[in-house]
Amino acid sequence: MAAPKFQSQKDSFHAELKRRIHNYFQEEGISTTGNYKLYTKAIILTLGLLLIYTHVVFFTPESAWLALFECVVLGMITAGIGFNIVHDGSHGSFSKVKKLNDIAGLFLNLLGANEFMWNTKHNVIHHAYTNIDGVDDDLDAGPLLRLCETQKFRKIHRFQHFYFWVAYSMLFFYWAFFSDYQKYFTKKVGSMPLKKMKTSDHISFWSFKAVHIIFFAVLPIYLVGFLPWLVGFFAYGLVVGFVMSIVFQLAHTVRETHFPVVSETTNKIEDEWAIHQLKTTANFATNNKLVTWFSGGLNFQVEHHLFPKISHVHYPALSKIVAQACNDFNIPYHNIPKMRMAVASHVSHLKQLSRA
C-alpha cells in the first residue's frame, strides 16, 4: 500500500494550533523538552529496576511468593521506563541534549525490543497514519483480535471482548522474540517498507538482543535454576505486555475514536493531518495524577500525537490550549474522564466488532 496523503490547507487548524502552543512556551519562558520532574522520575525508575533485578536474581528471596511479587513489580517498572524514558527519548523530547535522548531511547534495546524497529513502527508510521487499517501496524493484532470494521471477521472474534487481556499480556514476548525479527528479515513494518539499516544498526540489533538474553535468561537460569526463572520471567513478561498494551489501546481503540478509510481514487484522507489525529485519538483519566505520572503522560494522548516532540511533562498545560482551540474551531476533542470508563469503552468497542 502506498502511503496515503492528507488534505492540505493554507490557513489550517494545525497552523493556528502550533501558533498558540509556540506562544505558550514563549510567554512561560520554558523549554519544550523534559525538566527536573522527568529526570527525577527517570532516576527513580532506573534505580528501582536495578535494585529489584539485583535482589531477585542475585539475592533471591526464600519465599517463592515474594520472589514472584518482585518479578511483577519489575514488570511494572519496565513498563514505566518504556512510557517515561524510552518514549520521550525516542521522540527527542527527553532533553535538549541529543546524546541524552539517544541514551534514553537505547533503554528499549536493553529491555528486549529494538529502538530502530520501534522508531519506524511508532514515530514514522503510527504517528503519521493513526488508525488507518493496512498502514498503522498498531491495528494489526493478527487473527486473534479485530480492532476496526474494515478488518476481516473470524469466528474467534465473537469472544474477543472476553479474552483480549490474554492477548495483550503476550505483547512483550511477541514483540521481543518475534515481531522485531519479522521486521528485520522482511524489511517491512506491516505493509510499509523499513528504512535501510546501516551497519551500525545491524550490529546494535544483534548485540542488544544478545545482551537482553544474557541478563534476562542465561544469568537468572544459572543462578536460580530453569523452572524458577521460567515462572518469574513469564510473570514479568505478562505484566509488561498487558500494562503497555492497555495504555496504548485506551488511546486509540475506543468507541469515541474514528478509523478513517483512504479514498481508493485519490489515496487521500478526508481531513488535514491535525484533525485526523483528533478524530483518531482519545485522552483518558487526565485528572488522575498517578496515571499521568506512571504512564508518562500517555493518557494525554491527543496532545502527544499533535506535538510528539514536546515532553509529556507539559501535556497537562497544553491540553487546556488544545481543548480551547478545538472548541473555537468546532472540532471533536475526545477526553474520557475516568480510567474505568476508558476500559469500559474499549471493551464495548471490542464487543461491537465481535459481530460480523
Side-chain angles (χ1 to χ4, degrees):
M1 175 181 283
K5 306 294 182 182
F6 293 93
Q7 301 294 343
S8 58
Q9 298 177 9
K10 186 176 180 182
D11 299 317
S12 68
F13 168 76
H14 193 204
E16 171 61 18
L17 191 56
K18 286 195 293 184
R19 185 190 67 79
R20 295 188 188 190
I21 297 298
H22 174 76
N23 288 345
Y24 165 77
F25 283 103
Q26 287 283 90
E27 291 167 6
E28 295 294 322
I30 56 177
S31 170
T32 59
T33 55
N35 55 26
Y36 73 94
K37 293 180 181 179
L38 175 55
Y39 306 143
T40 301
K41 183 161 45 169
I43 291 170
I44 291 171
L45 290 168
T46 304
L47 288 177
L49 181 78
L50 293 174
L51 289 172
I52 294 180
Y53 174 88
T54 300
H55 189 260
V56 77
V57 173
F58 293 96
F59 305 96
T60 311
E62 292 184 10
S63 169
W65 289 109
L66 178 57
L68 188 63
F69 174 74
E70 288 188 349
C71 291
V72 169
V73 174
L74 192 65
M76 292 291 291
I77 293 175
T78 298
I81 286 175
F83 295 146
N84 291 276
I85 301 175
V86 172
H87 196 241
D88 271 32
S90 68
H91 279 292
S93 64
F94 185 83
S95 168
K96 294 178 184 177
V97 182
K98 184 181 182 301
K99 196 68 176 176
L100 283 179
N101 286 319
D102 293 341
I103 292 171
L106 280 176
F107 261 88
L108 185 65
N109 293 1
L110 292 170
L111 298 175
N114 179 260
E115 186 192 19
F116 184 92
M117 304 301 169
W118 167 254
N119 282 341
T120 304
K121 170 186 169 66
H122 182 75
N123 296 7
V124 177
I125 298 175
H126 170 68
H127 269 270
Y129 309 109
T130 313
N131 277 15
I132 300 177
D133 184 30
V135 184
D136 185 359
D137 190 55
D138 282 10
L139 286 180
D140 183 9
L144 281 179
L145 296 168
R146 183 177 184 234
L147 298 178
C148 64
E149 289 184 348
T150 51
Q151 292 178 338
K152 180 180 178 180
F153 174 79
R154 294 179 170 86
K155 289 183 178 180
I156 192 174
H157 297 150
R158 291 178 296 170
F159 310 103
Q160 67 176 8
H161 51 296
F162 295 114
Y163 66 73
F164 72 93
W165 60 274
V166 178
Y168 292 170
S169 297
M170 299 305 295
L171 172 70
F172 168 75
F173 302 113
Y174 177 78
W175 186 359
F177 301 111
F178 177 75
S179 69
D180 270 354
Y181 295 101
Q182 182 186 48
K183 293 176 178 64
Y184 183 88
F185 288 111
T186 62
K187 299 178 181 178
K188 286 184 177 181
V189 178
S191 63
M192 304 296 286
L194 190 68
K195 185 179 72 172
K196 186 176 181 180
M197 297 177 73
K198 297 179 290 187
T199 301
S200 58
D201 296 321
H202 289 285
I203 294 172
S204 175
F205 182 91
W206 291 107
S207 298
F208 278 107
K209 287 291 185 183
V211 168
H212 177 256
I213 290 173
I214 289 170
F215 278 96
F216 282 85
V218 176
L219 189 58
I221 291 172
Y222 176 76
L223 292 172
V224 304
F226 179 78
L227 188 58
W229 164 79
L230 184 63
V231 173
F233 187 66
F234 193 62
Y236 163 82
L238 291 177
V239 171
V240 176
F242 181 77
V243 172
M244 295 193 74
S245 291
I246 201 67
V247 166
F248 284 111
Q249 295 289 33
L250 296 186
H252 297 292
T253 53
V254 289
R255 292 294 295 270
E256 289 78 3
T257 54
H258 293 208
F259 299 83
V261 177
V262 181
S263 169
E264 292 184 4
T265 55
T266 64
N267 195 39
K268 282 189 173 183
I269 296 294
E270 64 178 0
D271 295 308
E272 65 165 286
W273 179 82
I275 295 177
H276 171 83
Q277 296 303 321
L278 284 156
K279 287 184 176 181
T280 58
T281 309
N283 288 351
F284 60 93
T286 53
N287 289 326
N288 189 318
K289 292 184 179 180
L290 179 60
V291 170
T292 300
W293 188 92
F294 175 73
S295 70
L298 290 177
N299 54 330
F300 287 89
Q301 191 78 192
V302 170
E303 286 66 36
H304 172 60
H305 265 255
L306 290 171
F307 300 98
K309 294 187 179 298
I310 296 178
S311 174
H312 73 265
V313 296
H314 304 294
Y315 292 163
L318 299 192
S319 66
K320 297 179 177 61
I321 301 172
V322 174
Q324 183 59 54
C326 289
N327 184 63
D328 294 343
F329 282 78
N330 196 29
I331 296 170
Y333 179 79
H334 304 307
N335 186 25
I336 306 172
K338 304 288 184 181
M339 184 81 177
R340 56 180 170 78
M341 294 170 67
V343 172
S345 181
H346 177 60
V347 174
S348 177
H349 174 73
L350 291 177
K351 186 175 180 179
Q352 182 184 33
L353 294 170
S354 70
R355 297 182 290 271

